[in-house]
Amino acid sequence: MFYPEHIVEDIREQNDIVELISAYTNLKARGNSYVGLCPFHNESTPSFTVNPGKQLYHCFGCGVGGNAYSFVMAIEGLGFTESIEHLAHRINYVLPQKGMQQDSHASSEKDILYKINAVAADFFYENLKNSTITIDYLKERGITPQIAKKFKLGYSLPEWDKLYNYLQNSGYPQNFIEKAGLVALSKNGKKYYDRFRGRLMFPIFEPRGKVIGFGGRSLGDEMPKYINSPETIIYNKSNSLYALNFVKKGTDKDIIVVEGYMDAIALYQAGFYGVVASLGTAFTSAHGRLISRYGRGVILVFDSDTAGLAAAMRTINDLKTSGISIKILSLKNAKDPDEYLKKFPKEDFLQEIKKAKNYIDFQIENLLQDHSVEDTQSKIDFTKQATAIIAHIKDPVEKDAYTNHISEITGIDSASIKTQLDTIVVQTPVKKPIFVKQGQQALKEAKANLISALANSYAVYTALLPHLQPQEMDDEIYTKMLQILYDFYEKDETVNPARLLNHFADTKDQSIVAGILSIEPNLDKKYLSKAINDQAKLIKKAYIENQLESSDSLVSIQQLVNSRNSVENLNIAL
């Protein structure tokens, strides 16, 4: 039976791969991944790795790899459709009944939902312009009419079915209005009512400016304070950020990440244009990969309460694998940026931003608040926990600096802390040296490293696209991977490694792809720029040489020779 891609992806995303595989082999946390004995071949030393951030598995012993579907197909001997049904059953996901007509034109359905959301956003905005209560509320919150228009803020009327009737009268069928998440069915199943009523409305845009969902805030004491659109085939909270459509791509600045819609709007109005807000979910590594297209890193601004601190710690752990720089700003004189800007001038907030702490310093400082270095046992506990925080650091100079820092705080000799560090097992990312080997092995490694870097960095995409065509990879799998990644970035879609595997039906191909995507590239800008340039040169030269061997046209040969000579002058700069 055919299942649309959005259903296939929805089921995969709801099946956490670590939890899934743990039912078949014992996994232990190691750094940012999990390791265990491979369930597909006999081994005494664990070489099987599961990456929760990428939702992939890969065995460095026998080479198998893939996503949740690949694993179930291999371990249970199922076909792809059967694996979908198996994983759906595992999470009690209700699949369309067999024989039920399916919409095979998912893009058409998406287009309709985009249109419905656009009409709804216009409807809400017109309501706002004629609503005294909403205009007064925005004045009280300090939001100007110009900013309200830019963010297309709106107002949902306090009536049960005003929007529903308006959309129906505009020619949209009720099933699509429901799929857009704008209405819900009453408990008796007889009547549709508007999901949002009597609320300030925040349209959520995808990067190209299309409305994909809404957030609605109560204007009084009504609870819940916020109601958000449910996830749909065009709206996925894990791949979306509020106000991202207003952020300029490819800057070398940090992107400010806040928790609420009003915080993002207040900062934007104050002139901080590189700001986004999460959408009621944790800020994850997927968000990190999405944001890497727009800036060099993130400054996470969290509320200054206990919940805000806990959210900061969770976010740090999720973001470590994203390859972007992470700073934390915890406001002391206000509970959030919106309140801060009401109390202090924007220049003060700029100074706060400049004082944002590296996430490791932030973790160590917060750990120190819970421990007394005057008490022996507390000092020991602090040292062990602080050492675990810095254990994943790869740069030896940085790691040594933090080792000495912990030593200065506690008075414990740095040599003892280094010994403790040696007892902490951190999985070593696969970072193969580039161009150490010659011939086909060097070419293969260059292709794998380049694809890995591309999958983790939008900057690599913009630099590489004008210089390397997919066919120049001269290998079916690498050509397909490069084209898919180009397509993802062109459509402004998040590069989801596990989803990318769905484009490869053959299990051997999936294992190869999973192995490539398991590589953790060095994303340091200076290193990466040279590496990408060298890799592209090697790949392009090999492609031209193969073309020369098969060409029997003098004109074609001369053109290829000229192309080969021009490759030497290739300069791909990030």
Side-chain angles (χ1 to χ4, degrees):
M1 181 179 177
F2 168 80
Y3 293 108
E5 184 182 2
H6 70 274
I7 289 180
V8 175
E9 268 302 286
D10 197 19
I11 292 169
R12 184 194 59 73
E13 288 177 354
Q14 292 187 46
N15 277 273
D16 179 72
I17 198 165
V18 175
E19 183 184 338
L20 171 67
I21 294 178
S22 293
Y24 297 87
T25 186
N26 185 35
L27 297 175
K28 293 183 179 179
R30 183 175 294 178
N32 296 321
S33 297
Y34 290 78
V35 298
L37 297 175
C38 179
F40 299 108
H41 81 284
N42 292 324
E43 61 178 6
S44 55
T45 303
S47 61
F48 186 81
T49 304
V50 183
N51 188 315
K54 296 180 178 180
Q55 289 291 296
L56 295 176
Y57 69 92
H58 180 69
C59 179
F60 294 96
C62 66
V64 300
N67 58 14
Y69 288 119
S70 309
F71 183 82
V72 168
M73 289 167 68
I75 203 80
E76 298 286 353
L78 303 177
F80 184 59
T81 299
E82 292 172 309
S83 72
I84 295 172
E85 293 166 353
H86 177 90
L87 290 178
H89 177 73
R90 183 175 179 272
I91 58 171
N92 297 318
Y93 187 102
V94 180
L95 286 164
Q97 296 177 9
K98 292 188 177 182
M100 215 172 143
Q101 185 177 4
Q102 306 238 1
D103 182 2
S104 61
H105 303 288
S107 60
S108 299
E109 183 175 327
K110 287 183 178 180
D111 288 340
I112 294 172
L113 296 187
Y114 283 133
K115 290 175 182 176
I116 289 175
N117 280 330
V119 171
D122 288 338
F123 178 79
F124 293 141
Y125 180 65
E126 289 301 318
N127 292 343
L128 181 141
K129 291 194 296 183
N130 299 305
S131 167
T132 303
I133 184 174
T134 317
I135 292 172
D136 290 344
Y137 178 83
L138 291 177
K139 283 182 181 178
E140 183 184 336
R141 296 298 297 262
I143 303 302
T144 67
Q146 293 79 13
I147 289 296
K149 182 178 181 181
K150 186 173 187 67
F151 282 81
K152 207 161 191 175
L153 302 184
Y155 178 54
S156 55
L157 297 172
E159 300 178 33
W160 279 98
D161 54 5
K162 198 73 173 178
L163 175 64
Y164 175 64
N165 291 333
Y166 180 81
L167 290 171
Q168 277 215 309
N169 291 335
S170 298
Y172 295 103
Q174 65 180 30
N175 63 320
F176 279 99
I177 300 172
E178 184 179 13
K179 283 181 179 181
L182 292 168
V183 299
L185 195 60
S186 62
K187 289 183 179 179
N188 61 17
K190 294 181 179 180
K191 184 175 176 61
Y192 282 100
Y193 63 90
D194 294 349
R195 184 180 297 275
F196 303 98
R197 302 183 305 282
R199 290 177 176 268
L200 178 65
M201 299 300 296
F202 300 85
I204 299 162
F205 299 90
E206 50 96 75
R208 290 166 294 184
K210 294 181 180 179
V211 182
I212 55 176
F214 295 90
R217 190 196 193 286
S218 63
L219 295 172
D221 298 327
E222 182 186 355
M223 297 301 288
K225 182 189 289 187
Y226 282 96
I227 294 177
N228 298 301
S229 291
E231 294 199 344
T232 66
I233 64 170
I234 62 171
Y235 177 44
N236 185 320
K237 293 177 184 178
S238 298
N239 294 331
S240 306
L241 291 166
Y242 183 70
L244 186 62
N245 55 302
F246 298 121
V247 179
K248 183 180 178 182
K249 281 187 179 180
T251 70
D252 60 353
K253 297 180 180 179
D254 292 321
I255 306 301
I256 301 170
V257 180
V258 295
E259 291 188 86
Y261 303 121
M262 293 301 290
D263 292 324
I265 293 172
L267 283 171
Y268 189 95
Q269 183 170 280
F272 298 92
Y273 300 132
V275 58
V276 299
S278 54
L279 293 164
T281 59
F283 194 83
T284 66
S285 57
H287 289 128
R289 288 192 294 273
L290 177 61
I291 256 195
S292 68
R293 311 178 193 179
Y294 295 83
R296 67 185 177 189
V298 295
I299 297 175
L300 304 169
V301 186
F302 286 96
D303 291 354
S304 55
D305 54 14
T306 303
L309 176 61
M313 292 304 184
R314 287 195 304 271
T315 303
I316 287 170
N317 288 330
D318 284 336
L319 272 182
K320 279 187 210 173
T321 60
S322 65
I324 61 175
S325 69
I326 310 166
K327 295 177 184 176
I328 308 293
L329 172 58
S330 181
L331 296 173
K332 303 299 182 185
N333 300 312
K335 67 181 180 67
D336 55 40
D338 184 33
E339 182 181 285
Y340 188 96
L341 290 169
K342 286 180 173 60
K343 289 183 175 181
F344 308 101
K346 65 180 182 181
E347 290 77 15
D348 287 9
F349 189 83
L350 180 60
Q351 294 305 312
E352 294 281 354
I353 286 292
K354 290 179 179 178
K355 293 187 291 185
K357 296 182 184 298
N358 173 285
Y359 74 96
I360 298 176
D361 290 320
F362 177 81
Q363 288 178 298
I364 291 175
E365 286 187 16
N366 278 280
L367 187 63
L368 192 57
Q369 292 179 12
D370 297 328
H371 294 81
S372 169
V373 294
E374 304 301 322
D375 177 79
T376 302
Q377 185 58 53
S378 183
K379 184 194 322 187
I380 292 170
D381 292 342
F382 167 80
T383 304
K384 288 184 177 181
Q385 291 178 51
T387 303
I389 289 172
I390 70 170
H392 75 282
I393 299 175
K394 303 169 188 70
D395 183 273
V397 175
E398 185 181 3
K399 181 177 277 190
D400 194 53
Y402 276 110
T403 300
N404 292 333
H405 180 52
I406 295 171
S407 176
E408 290 171 4
I409 292 172
T410 61
I412 295 174
D413 186 69
S414 59
S416 299
I417 296 173
K418 289 177 181 177
T419 301
Q420 174 68 18
L421 275 171
D422 291 338
T423 67
I424 301 173
V425 180
V426 178
Q427 184 188 4
T428 303
V430 182
K431 284 189 180 178
K432 300 179 180 179
I434 302 172
F435 311 135
V436 173
K437 301 175 184 178
Q438 299 298 317
Q440 290 301 311
Q441 184 60 29
L443 180 61
K444 182 179 178 182
E445 291 186 1
K447 292 176 181 178
N449 284 320
L450 187 144
I451 289 290
S452 172
L454 179 62
N456 284 274
S457 171
Y458 181 82
V460 172
Y461 162 70
T462 57
L464 192 63
L465 181 63
H467 301 288
L468 186 67
Q469 298 303 308
Q471 67 268 19
E472 291 181 285
M473 298 297 269
D474 214 19
D475 178 285
E476 186 177 352
I477 290 180
Y478 287 104
T479 294
K480 187 173 181 178
M481 287 187 74
L482 185 60
Q483 186 62 63
I484 292 170
L485 289 170
Y486 279 175
D487 290 345
F488 276 174
Y489 283 125
E490 184 182 357
K491 296 174 184 176
D492 272 314
E493 294 185 23
T494 303
V495 174
N496 185 319
R499 178 187 167 200
L500 195 149
L501 257 71
N502 290 343
H503 293 264
F504 296 84
D506 185 81
T507 54
K508 290 182 180 179
D509 290 349
Q510 289 181 345
S511 293
I512 293 170
V513 173
I516 294 167
L517 296 176
S518 295
I519 298 172
E520 295 290 348
N522 185 339
L523 296 176
D524 177 77
K525 192 171 183 179
K526 291 181 180 178
Y527 169 87
L528 186 60
S529 189
K530 182 181 184 305
I532 293 300
N533 201 65
D534 290 347
Q535 290 166 357
K537 279 185 179 181
L538 187 62
I539 293 166
K540 289 175 76 71
K541 283 180 182 178
Y543 175 74
I544 292 170
E545 291 297 338
N546 285 341
Q547 294 294 304
L548 281 168
E549 287 182 11
S550 60
S551 179
D552 56 6
S553 164
L554 289 176
V555 174
S556 178
I557 290 172
Q558 185 59 54
Q559 289 175 340
L560 288 166
V561 170
N562 292 339
S563 297
R564 182 175 60 186
N565 294 336
S566 67
V567 170
E568 292 298 334
N569 299 319
L570 187 66
N571 182 24
I572 301 176
L574 299 182

